[in-house]
Amino acid sequence: MKTYAQGAEIIREHQKDGVLYILKRGAVEISKRHTEVNRAASPGSIFGEVSVLLDIPHTATVTALEPCEFYLAEDGAAFLFQHPELNLRIARLLAHRLHQSTEKVVELREFIEASDDAYGHGSPPFASQVSPRRIATARRMSHFHTFC
């Protein structure tokens, strides 16, 4: 078990450690490229699973919003192999995240399509509140299809 102080970086995006982190107590912020994407405070929440399962560096940063305690599986892949009962839980977690991401993509596509219909390829409504990078990303994403 490991304790982290408020503000401590538990997982750093783009680093690889092979560790699975399981929240015992506390609340964390999950961010990607310095943008908050989620928060979690449920005991048993698992972090680092994408990195472990795909054998890639971490895809997000996890920061303690308050003092936190985590159970650590130092060799995450071996831990999952030894505890197959966790695999269904992780599969459900990943399916839930995929579902949320798909919904966000659809919302962005609808927003861009409505903006294009109303304004051509000019500025969408609320353009001052949306960064040009996000508008361009949403336009690029509108060409992808999700099959779920």
Side-chain angles (χ1 to χ4, degrees):
M1 183 154 16
K2 187 166 181 181
T3 302
Y4 296 88
Q6 179 178 353
E9 204 171 70
I10 300 155
I11 295 174
R12 180 175 290 180
E13 186 175 8
H14 304 300
Q15 289 191 347
K16 187 175 175 184
D17 61 10
V19 177
L20 275 179
Y21 299 79
I22 303 165
L23 183 64
K24 179 182 178 191
R25 151 187 94 71
V28 298
E29 173 188 273
I30 300 100
S31 60
K32 186 157 182 71
R33 294 193 300 262
H34 307 289
T35 300
E36 181 181 329
V37 294
N38 205 353
R39 289 180 176 216
S42 300
S45 294
I46 299 171
F47 304 92
E49 75 288 345
V50 172
S51 176
V52 167
L53 290 170
L54 298 178
D55 194 27
I56 61 172
H58 291 294
T59 59
T61 295
V62 177
T63 306
L65 293 172
E66 60 188 48
C68 295
E69 287 183 319
F70 279 86
Y71 298 107
L72 302 182
E74 296 293 338
D75 183 342
F79 181 80
L80 290 176
F81 187 74
Q82 294 166 357
H83 300 283
E85 68 278 5
L86 291 178
N87 293 329
L88 179 59
R89 181 173 178 181
I90 290 174
R92 285 185 174 146
L93 170 73
L94 295 173
H96 177 72
R97 290 180 187 166
L98 177 62
H99 175 71
Q100 286 180 316
S101 296
T102 300
E103 291 297 316
K104 294 284 185 196
V105 168
V106 169
E107 288 175 18
L108 281 170
R109 288 181 70 175
E110 290 172 346
F111 176 79
I112 294 301
E113 288 170 9
S115 299
D116 287 346
D117 288 347
Y119 298 94
H121 279 290
S123 296
F126 316 112
S128 63
Q129 298 173 5
V130 181
S131 75
R133 187 180 95 205
R134 287 194 178 174
I135 292 170
T137 299
R139 281 202 172 108
R140 283 193 308 275
M141 290 175 71
S142 71
H143 299 291
F144 290 101
H145 300 283
T146 305
F147 302 99
C148 298

